[in-house]
Amino acid sequence: MLDLWPHADLFAVCDMLPENERGFLRGREVRTSFIQNLPFARRHFRKYLGLMPLAVEQFDLSGYDLVLSSNHAVAKGVITGPGQLHVSYVHSPMRYAWDLQHQYLRQAGLERGPMSLYTRWLLHRLRLWDRASAAGVDSIVANSAYIADRIAKTWRRNATVIHPPVDVDHFALSESREDHYLIAARMVPYKRVELVAEAFRAMPERRLVICGDGPGLAQVRAAAAGAPNIELRGRVPQTELIALTRSARAFVYAAEEDFGIGMVEAQACGTPLIAFGRGGARDIVRPGTGLLFGEQSAESIAAAVRRFETLAPAMDPRSCRANAMRFSVSAFRARFRSHVEGLMEERKAAAA
């Protein structure tokens, strides 16, 4: 968005980015909310979630004709007037406040007690605000059909699907394959990496390489224990990860993702996908580029791997690469600019 509108002013609830991650801002000033200056905000800003709706509502955006928000929590809640166009690019409605509330409370150890009661009250208030603030957005853009469905369910709004930009040019095509399957993901519960390990432990004749780290690494290690065909490499340099992806027989993914940029990166390398058939994977996988499995279980993954091996000769790396190009940076820029400028032209015509 900043590249499309290089003279735009930038607002954020808070700005804690370290210097080595600020390159994409190209020196722009970031105007932050009062949360930036609250006690302990630098390390614990997420604990101020209950104040974030109030914080974004304090931004004075009355001097702008066009307002773009990139929303995963509260950004769409900025206040705009009838003479302004507000387009919100939505990565997901707040999962922890909607359908994943109970899972969030379990993982946070907040199923009982005073803090549980407070958190449930807070999430209830967030749900009310979340739906009410969605009504103030003129056009909602979702990053996948899956997120468009979630938006329709939670906010009762229609959304235009424009897939996020993926740096496919950074991942070169390879037409040669080795014998390993690959999964690369952060080790957190919803990624379900342990299920992939369990599936391959039951298939000792097939080799699996697992890359990534995180709080769930111990669970993944336990799932892979005693399986010489499974190699855990932990977090690896980007160059090594790309090399592993380019040579893999297939990229295996068991998570229900909002979109799934890692899957597109694998396709850009010419690598087929074996992915769980819910979420963004349904937007990504096309015939001849991979296959989907129906359940998040080791048995379903193992069955998909066996099915893949019968179909693999028909999966051309060049078809995978061509599929990935649908999600390139240039494709996103063209679609998003066209969407926004089309809305602006409609407004001008209506006002004439």
Side-chain angles (χ1 to χ4, degrees):
M1 292 183 189
L2 291 173
D3 287 341
L4 284 169
W5 288 275
H7 302 296
D9 294 328
L10 179 59
F11 294 78
V13 172
C14 51
D15 176 12
M16 309 302 183
L17 278 178
E19 286 301 322
N20 63 347
E21 296 180 18
R22 306 184 70 82
F24 75 97
L25 295 175
R26 293 180 174 83
R28 291 180 180 86
E29 175 191 1
V30 181
R31 307 182 191 193
T32 57
S33 74
F34 65 80
I35 289 179
Q36 181 79 15
N37 299 315
L38 292 179
F40 312 110
R42 178 157 295 278
R43 295 189 62 183
H44 302 291
F45 65 89
R46 292 180 181 86
K47 293 184 178 179
Y48 290 114
L49 175 62
L51 291 175
M52 289 183 185
L54 175 64
V56 297
E57 291 172 350
Q58 305 316 302
F59 289 135
D60 181 4
L61 306 181
S62 57
Y64 300 94
D65 297 316
L66 173 63
V67 175
L68 305 175
S69 59
S70 177
N71 182 87
H72 79 280
V74 300
K76 76 178 190 316
V78 293
I79 296 174
T80 56
Q84 298 172 286
L85 174 65
H86 179 189
V87 180
S88 186
Y89 190 78
V90 177
H91 308 283
S92 178
M94 290 184 282
R95 283 175 164 265
Y96 45 85
W98 291 98
D99 51 312
L100 293 187
Q101 172 187 291
H102 301 294
Q103 179 179 322
Y104 164 78
L105 292 171
R106 281 195 302 272
Q107 292 174 354
L110 292 172
E111 293 183 277
R112 296 180 180 84
M115 280 302 297
S116 173
L117 183 61
Y118 167 74
T119 304
R120 291 171 190 272
W121 173 83
L122 175 61
L123 294 176
H124 169 71
R125 298 291 300 175
L126 282 172
R127 282 192 293 275
L128 296 177
W129 178 88
D130 196 38
R131 179 173 287 181
S133 61
V137 180
D138 298 296
S139 175
I140 296 176
V141 181
N143 68 3
S144 69
Y146 174 64
I147 294 305
D149 288 343
R150 295 193 74 243
I151 289 169
K153 176 69 174 180
T154 57
W155 300 342
R156 302 304 186 196
R157 292 287 307 272
N158 293 325
T160 300
V161 176
I162 300 179
H163 299 112
V166 182
D167 185 13
V168 294
D169 294 334
H170 191 63
F171 298 83
L173 171 67
S174 173
E175 298 193 46
S176 63
R177 303 287 124 193
E178 296 181 6
D179 68 341
H180 67 274
Y181 292 82
L182 175 70
I183 179 168
R186 179 160 167 75
M187 305 299 172
V188 292
Y190 88 93
K191 296 288 188 180
R192 307 312 306 268
V193 179
E194 79 285 354
L195 293 180
V196 180
E198 289 174 17
F200 277 83
R201 190 173 62 184
M203 298 185 291
E205 71 282 6
R206 296 172 176 88
R207 182 176 167 229
L208 174 67
V209 176
I210 301 175
C211 296
D213 63 6
L217 182 58
Q219 184 181 11
V220 176
R221 287 190 186 279
N229 60 314
I230 302 177
E231 181 181 356
L232 277 76
R233 296 205 181 184
R235 185 175 183 178
V236 300
Q238 182 75 350
T239 53
E240 181 180 342
L241 179 59
I242 292 174
L244 286 166
T245 306
R246 296 181 71 221
S247 58
R249 283 180 60 81
F251 189 84
V252 186
Y253 212 71
E256 182 178 337
E257 289 283 6
D258 296 338
F259 177 64
I261 286 176
M263 289 186 280
V264 176
E265 292 171 344
Q267 290 272 276
C269 294
T271 303
L273 299 174
I274 302 173
F276 178 49
R278 289 190 62 184
R282 296 186 65 86
D283 286 20
I284 297 169
V285 176
R286 291 288 181 267
T289 69
L291 57 84
L292 303 173
F293 54 89
E295 296 179 2
Q296 284 180 310
S297 69
E299 294 76 16
S300 185
I301 295 168
V305 171
R306 297 187 186 101
R307 189 165 76 253
F308 167 80
E309 291 184 347
T310 67
L311 301 172
M315 295 192 184
D316 184 356
R318 289 167 294 182
S319 296
C320 295
R321 174 75 182 183
N323 184 42
M325 296 308 293
R326 297 188 293 128
F327 309 105
S328 68
V329 173
S330 60
F332 171 82
R333 288 176 176 168
R335 290 200 64 199
F336 194 74
R337 181 187 287 278
S338 175
H339 179 74
V340 173
E341 292 183 347
L343 292 170
M344 295 177 71
E345 288 300 322
E346 289 176 11
R347 284 195 160 234
K348 288 180 183 178

